[in-house]
Amino acid sequence: MDRNQFMRAAIALAEKNVADGTGGPFGAVIVRDGEIVGEGTNQVTSANDPTAHAEVVAIRQACAKLGTFNLEGCEVYTSCEPCPMCLSAIYWARLDRIFYGNTKADAAEIDFDDAFLYLEIPKPIAERTIPTEQMLHAESIKAFNAWAVSEDKIPY
């Protein structure tokens, strides 16, 4: 398969998701060495999971199939430019490249507007819409201190 075929696979997943009524119009595939190793559709409403975006579902499937949390050597083809959450997940998974079809402006036109999130992220914590307060730092830091000296940790 070539790049166009992988993108068409992501688009077909998005279209099928709409036709089946199982979620929003988003599909994604993860590709490694010319083979699809993970695919996903938006399952937010069908799974009652706000994190079940197509890219995240595809990343989870690819990681399970490959037995790793590191997807270096893989690319993602997604029917729409990734939202901030999905973009972060792509970076955390260490995918090599992103290919997308629709833009975030296209998504906003059908009421999937991520602009609010892009504006919230750089704000100081005290200025964000959701009140956020640090608590029990002295107790919380103990887990971090244990991790720092653990000989069993797997860095990621």
Side-chain angles (χ1 to χ4, degrees), residues 3-26:
R3 288 181 175 168
N4 289 332
Q5 290 172 303
F6 292 129
M7 180 57 72
R8 286 186 183 107
I11 294 166
L13 287 169
E15 290 173 343
K16 184 176 184 329
N17 210 42
V18 172
D20 291 349
T22 51
F26 304 97

Side-chain angles (χ1 to χ4, degrees), residues 39-54:
E39 60 181 37
T41 57
N42 179 286
Q43 299 172 12
V44 170
T45 56
S46 59
N48 293 318
D49 180 353
T51 68
H53 289 201

Side-chain angles (χ1 to χ4, degrees), residues 60-127:
R60 289 173 181 161
Q61 189 180 96
C63 288
K65 179 176 182 173
L66 299 173
T68 182
F69 58 83
N70 184 332
L71 295 178
E72 286 177 308
C74 298
E75 302 171 332
V76 61
Y77 293 77
T78 180
S79 63
C80 187
E81 183 177 358
C83 75
M85 177 185 70
C86 293
L87 183 61
S88 297
I90 288 165
Y91 275 93
W92 278 116
R94 295 173 178 81
L95 288 154
D96 290 356
R97 194 163 186 169
I98 302 166
F99 297 95
Y100 66 93
N102 295 310
T103 67
K104 61 186 175 184
D106 296 327
E109 287 182 22
I110 59 165
D111 297 326
F112 290 96
D113 193 354
D114 301 329
F116 170 75
L117 295 173
Y118 285 104
L119 295 173
E120 277 289 290
I121 291 169
K123 287 182 182 178
I125 290 173
E127 294 176 21

